[in-house]
Structures are given as C-alpha cells and as structure tokens.
mmCIF file of all heavy atoms in Angstrom:
data_model
loop_
_atom_site.group_PDB
_atom_site.id
_atom_site.type_symbol
_atom_site.label_atom_id
_atom_site.label_comp_id
_atom_site.label_asym_id
_atom_site.label_seq_id
_atom_site.Cartn_x
_atom_site.Cartn_y
_atom_site.Cartn_z
ATOM 1 N N VAL A 20 -16.484 -18.033 -9.992
ATOM 2 C CA VAL A 20 -16.695 -16.648 -9.815
ATOM 3 C C VAL A 20 -16.174 -15.771 -10.852
ATOM 4 O O VAL A 20 -15.143 -16.208 -11.472
ATOM 5 C CB VAL A 20 -16.048 -16.166 -8.417
ATOM 6 C CG1 VAL A 20 -14.515 -16.455 -8.403
ATOM 7 C CG2 VAL A 20 -16.346 -14.785 -8.016
ATOM 8 N N THR A 21 -16.844 -14.676 -11.261
ATOM 9 C CA THR A 21 -16.463 -13.936 -12.321
ATOM 10 C C THR A 21 -16.342 -12.342 -11.921
ATOM 11 O O THR A 21 -16.915 -11.894 -10.923
ATOM 12 C CB THR A 21 -17.364 -13.896 -13.570
ATOM 13 O OG1 THR A 21 -18.424 -12.948 -13.265
ATOM 14 C CG2 THR A 21 -17.902 -15.291 -13.671
ATOM 15 N N SER A 22 -15.435 -11.613 -12.598
ATOM 16 C CA SER A 22 -15.403 -10.132 -12.426
ATOM 17 C C SER A 22 -15.022 -9.450 -13.593
ATOM 18 O O SER A 22 -14.555 -10.028 -14.557
ATOM 19 C CB SER A 22 -14.311 -9.919 -11.341
ATOM 20 O OG SER A 22 -14.428 -8.563 -10.843
ATOM 21 N N HIS A 23 -15.208 -8.138 -13.754
ATOM 22 C CA HIS A 23 -14.996 -7.342 -14.767
ATOM 23 C C HIS A 23 -14.288 -5.998 -14.440
ATOM 24 O O HIS A 23 -14.334 -5.664 -13.227
ATOM 25 C CB HIS A 23 -16.293 -7.052 -15.477
ATOM 26 C CG HIS A 23 -16.982 -8.301 -15.978
ATOM 27 N ND1 HIS A 23 -17.686 -9.185 -15.167
ATOM 28 C CD2 HIS A 23 -17.222 -8.789 -17.198
ATOM 29 C CE1 HIS A 23 -18.192 -10.095 -15.707
ATOM 30 N NE2 HIS A 23 -17.977 -10.036 -17.052
ATOM 31 N N GLY A 24 -13.860 -5.263 -15.448
ATOM 32 C CA GLY A 24 -13.245 -3.990 -15.174
ATOM 33 C C GLY A 24 -11.756 -4.117 -14.697
ATOM 34 O O GLY A 24 -11.235 -5.259 -14.577
ATOM 35 N N LEU A 25 -11.045 -2.948 -14.499
ATOM 36 C CA LEU A 25 -9.577 -3.032 -14.154
ATOM 37 C C LEU A 25 -9.330 -3.659 -12.863
ATOM 38 O O LEU A 25 -8.130 -4.025 -12.680
ATOM 39 C CB LEU A 25 -9.154 -1.645 -14.231
ATOM 40 C CG LEU A 25 -9.099 -0.863 -15.664
ATOM 41 C CD1 LEU A 25 -8.666 0.481 -15.559
ATOM 42 C CD2 LEU A 25 -8.198 -1.708 -16.653
ATOM 43 N N ASN A 26 -10.233 -3.642 -11.873
ATOM 44 C CA ASN A 26 -9.920 -4.402 -10.656
ATOM 45 C C ASN A 26 -10.352 -5.891 -10.639
ATOM 46 O O ASN A 26 -10.221 -6.450 -9.608
ATOM 47 C CB ASN A 26 -10.768 -3.585 -9.523
ATOM 48 C CG ASN A 26 -10.098 -3.848 -8.219
ATOM 49 O OD1 ASN A 26 -8.850 -3.956 -8.106
ATOM 50 N ND2 ASN A 26 -10.897 -3.982 -7.245
ATOM 51 N N ALA A 27 -10.660 -6.384 -11.807
ATOM 52 C CA ALA A 27 -11.199 -7.776 -11.779
ATOM 53 C C ALA A 27 -10.181 -8.834 -11.153
ATOM 54 O O ALA A 27 -10.563 -9.585 -10.401
ATOM 55 C CB ALA A 27 -11.547 -8.157 -13.236
ATOM 56 N N PRO A 28 -8.970 -8.765 -11.591
ATOM 57 C CA PRO A 28 -8.011 -9.773 -11.040
ATOM 58 C C PRO A 28 -7.894 -9.573 -9.548
ATOM 59 O O PRO A 28 -7.812 -10.726 -8.835
ATOM 60 C CB PRO A 28 -6.726 -9.398 -11.648
ATOM 61 C CG PRO A 28 -7.040 -8.766 -12.979
ATOM 62 C CD PRO A 28 -8.219 -8.009 -12.675
ATOM 63 N N ASN A 29 -7.887 -8.425 -9.010
ATOM 64 C CA ASN A 29 -7.797 -8.256 -7.430
ATOM 65 C C ASN A 29 -8.981 -8.724 -6.833
ATOM 66 O O ASN A 29 -8.974 -9.389 -5.830
ATOM 67 C CB ASN A 29 -7.536 -6.766 -7.204
ATOM 68 C CG ASN A 29 -6.126 -6.313 -7.586
ATOM 69 O OD1 ASN A 29 -5.197 -7.106 -7.204
ATOM 70 N ND2 ASN A 29 -6.004 -5.083 -8.002
ATOM 71 N N MET A 30 -10.199 -8.537 -7.408
ATOM 72 C CA MET A 30 -11.447 -8.980 -6.774
ATOM 73 C C MET A 30 -11.455 -10.512 -6.798
ATOM 74 O O MET A 30 -11.926 -11.091 -5.872
ATOM 75 C CB MET A 30 -12.636 -8.441 -7.570
ATOM 76 C CG MET A 30 -12.857 -6.922 -7.252
ATOM 77 S SD MET A 30 -13.220 -6.538 -5.509
ATOM 78 C CE MET A 30 -14.682 -7.450 -5.198
ATOM 79 N N LEU A 31 -10.916 -11.132 -7.901
ATOM 80 C CA LEU A 31 -10.945 -12.537 -7.980
ATOM 81 C C LEU A 31 -9.949 -13.190 -7.022
ATOM 82 O O LEU A 31 -10.238 -14.212 -6.492
ATOM 83 C CB LEU A 31 -10.628 -13.020 -9.412
ATOM 84 C CG LEU A 31 -11.746 -12.586 -10.360
ATOM 85 C CD1 LEU A 31 -11.415 -13.033 -11.802
ATOM 86 C CD2 LEU A 31 -13.057 -13.361 -10.038
ATOM 87 N N LEU A 32 -8.858 -12.513 -6.805
ATOM 88 C CA LEU A 32 -7.878 -12.971 -5.780
ATOM 89 C C LEU A 32 -8.482 -12.858 -4.455
ATOM 90 O O LEU A 32 -8.374 -13.782 -3.592
ATOM 91 C CB LEU A 32 -6.698 -12.016 -5.876
ATOM 92 C CG LEU A 32 -5.602 -12.345 -6.918
ATOM 93 C CD1 LEU A 32 -4.549 -11.257 -7.172
ATOM 94 C CD2 LEU A 32 -4.904 -13.708 -6.636
ATOM 95 N N HIS A 33 -9.266 -11.741 -4.130
ATOM 96 C CA HIS A 33 -9.928 -11.474 -2.798
ATOM 97 C C HIS A 33 -10.922 -12.754 -2.621
ATOM 98 O O HIS A 33 -11.038 -13.218 -1.608
ATOM 99 C CB HIS A 33 -10.658 -10.219 -2.922
ATOM 100 C CG HIS A 33 -11.193 -9.776 -1.654
ATOM 101 N ND1 HIS A 33 -10.588 -10.176 -0.414
ATOM 102 C CD2 HIS A 33 -12.181 -9.063 -1.280
ATOM 103 C CE1 HIS A 33 -11.305 -9.616 0.659
ATOM 104 N NE2 HIS A 33 -12.382 -8.934 0.097
ATOM 105 N N SER A 34 -11.594 -13.051 -3.751
ATOM 106 C CA SER A 34 -12.634 -14.119 -3.737
ATOM 107 C C SER A 34 -12.021 -15.521 -3.331
ATOM 108 O O SER A 34 -12.595 -16.280 -2.663
ATOM 109 C CB SER A 34 -13.498 -14.226 -5.004
ATOM 110 O OG SER A 34 -14.159 -12.997 -5.261
ATOM 111 N N LEU A 35 -10.826 -15.765 -4.003
ATOM 112 C CA LEU A 35 -10.171 -17.010 -3.837
ATOM 113 C C LEU A 35 -9.628 -17.105 -2.447
ATOM 114 O O LEU A 35 -9.415 -18.254 -1.880
ATOM 115 C CB LEU A 35 -8.974 -17.275 -4.900
ATOM 116 C CG LEU A 35 -9.620 -17.556 -6.177
ATOM 117 C CD1 LEU A 35 -8.459 -17.535 -7.269
ATOM 118 C CD2 LEU A 35 -10.421 -18.799 -6.337
ATOM 119 N N GLU A 36 -9.409 -16.046 -1.906
ATOM 120 C CA GLU A 36 -8.863 -16.014 -0.449
ATOM 121 C C GLU A 36 -10.037 -16.361 0.465
ATOM 122 O O GLU A 36 -9.800 -16.990 1.528
ATOM 123 C CB GLU A 36 -8.350 -14.574 -0.011
ATOM 124 C CG GLU A 36 -7.101 -14.197 -0.714
ATOM 125 C CD GLU A 36 -6.719 -12.759 -0.484
ATOM 126 O OE1 GLU A 36 -7.563 -12.108 0.060
ATOM 127 O OE2 GLU A 36 -5.607 -12.326 -1.052
ATOM 128 N N ARG A 37 -11.258 -15.989 0.126
ATOM 129 C CA ARG A 37 -12.433 -16.296 0.933
ATOM 130 C C ARG A 37 -12.879 -17.703 0.792
ATOM 131 O O ARG A 37 -13.337 -18.290 1.720
ATOM 132 C CB ARG A 37 -13.424 -15.277 0.598
ATOM 133 C CG ARG A 37 -14.897 -15.556 1.180
ATOM 134 C CD ARG A 37 -14.812 -15.453 2.764
ATOM 135 N NE ARG A 37 -16.039 -15.577 3.363
ATOM 136 C CZ ARG A 37 -16.662 -16.842 3.639
ATOM 137 N NH1 ARG A 37 -15.897 -17.900 3.356
ATOM 138 N NH2 ARG A 37 -17.822 -16.885 4.209
ATOM 139 N N PHE A 38 -12.851 -18.200 -0.471
ATOM 140 C CA PHE A 38 -13.406 -19.640 -0.833
ATOM 141 C C PHE A 38 -12.656 -20.117 -2.022
ATOM 142 O O PHE A 38 -12.186 -19.435 -2.859
ATOM 143 C CB PHE A 38 -14.904 -19.369 -1.065
ATOM 144 C CG PHE A 38 -15.592 -20.662 -1.392
ATOM 145 C CD1 PHE A 38 -15.920 -21.564 -0.381
ATOM 146 C CD2 PHE A 38 -15.737 -21.135 -2.766
ATOM 147 C CE1 PHE A 38 -16.448 -22.894 -0.695
ATOM 148 C CE2 PHE A 38 -16.393 -22.314 -3.017
ATOM 149 C CZ PHE A 38 -16.730 -23.172 -1.918
ATOM 150 N N ASP A 39 -12.568 -21.442 -1.959
ATOM 151 C CA ASP A 39 -11.755 -22.171 -2.968
ATOM 152 C C ASP A 39 -12.636 -22.468 -4.104
ATOM 153 O O ASP A 39 -13.063 -23.659 -4.411
ATOM 154 C CB ASP A 39 -11.225 -23.474 -2.333
ATOM 155 C CG ASP A 39 -10.066 -24.069 -3.234
ATOM 156 O OD1 ASP A 39 -9.451 -23.385 -4.099
ATOM 157 O OD2 ASP A 39 -9.839 -25.301 -3.111
ATOM 158 N N PHE A 40 -12.848 -21.460 -4.915
ATOM 159 C CA PHE A 40 -13.627 -21.642 -6.176
ATOM 160 C C PHE A 40 -12.968 -22.621 -7.200
ATOM 161 O O PHE A 40 -11.741 -22.657 -7.163
ATOM 162 C CB PHE A 40 -13.974 -20.377 -6.901
ATOM 163 C CG PHE A 40 -15.057 -19.488 -6.178
ATOM 164 C CD1 PHE A 40 -14.610 -18.417 -5.231
ATOM 165 C CD2 PHE A 40 -16.368 -19.646 -6.177
ATOM 166 C CE1 PHE A 40 -15.520 -17.761 -4.513
ATOM 167 C CE2 PHE A 40 -17.284 -18.999 -5.516
ATOM 168 C CZ PHE A 40 -16.883 -17.937 -4.603
ATOM 169 N N ASP A 41 -13.659 -23.227 -8.055
ATOM 170 C CA ASP A 41 -13.138 -24.083 -9.001
ATOM 171 C C ASP A 41 -12.811 -23.291 -10.333
ATOM 172 O O ASP A 41 -11.936 -23.946 -11.140
ATOM 173 C CB ASP A 41 -14.288 -25.253 -9.433
ATOM 174 C CG ASP A 41 -14.543 -26.017 -8.213
ATOM 175 O OD1 ASP A 41 -13.605 -26.730 -7.594
ATOM 176 O OD2 ASP A 41 -15.655 -26.026 -7.831
ATOM 177 N N SER A 42 -13.301 -22.159 -10.558
ATOM 178 C CA SER A 42 -12.949 -21.474 -11.788
ATOM 179 C C SER A 42 -13.064 -20.000 -11.582
ATOM 180 O O SER A 42 -13.822 -19.483 -10.726
ATOM 181 C CB SER A 42 -13.951 -21.800 -12.945
ATOM 182 O OG SER A 42 -15.271 -21.324 -12.702
ATOM 183 N N VAL A 43 -12.427 -19.187 -12.382
ATOM 184 C CA VAL A 43 -12.499 -17.713 -12.416
ATOM 185 C C VAL A 43 -12.735 -17.304 -13.906
ATOM 186 O O VAL A 43 -12.423 -18.083 -14.818
ATOM 187 C CB VAL A 43 -11.385 -17.036 -11.886
ATOM 188 C CG1 VAL A 43 -11.203 -17.282 -10.411
ATOM 189 C CG2 VAL A 43 -10.053 -17.470 -12.639
#
C-alpha cells in the first residue's frame, strides 16, 4: 500500500491496522 502528502504515514498506519500488508 502507498500514500502521499503530509498525512501519508497516518494513512499507512490506518491501512496496516486494517490489513497486514507486506510493504508500504
């Protein structure tokens, strides 16, 4: 999963809470 912008780390944390992705 990827994200951009100043909120990117938070969105990725949110994504990892939902599903155990292999990479960010």
Side-chain angles (χ1 to χ4, degrees):
V20 61
T21 86
S22 190
H23 301 72
L25 291 179
N26 201 38
N29 286 319
M30 287 300 295
L31 293 174
L32 281 165
H33 192 32
S34 296
L35 289 173
E36 289 170 359
R37 173 65 178 82
F38 181 77
D39 193 21
F40 288 100
D41 299 299
S42 71
V43 296

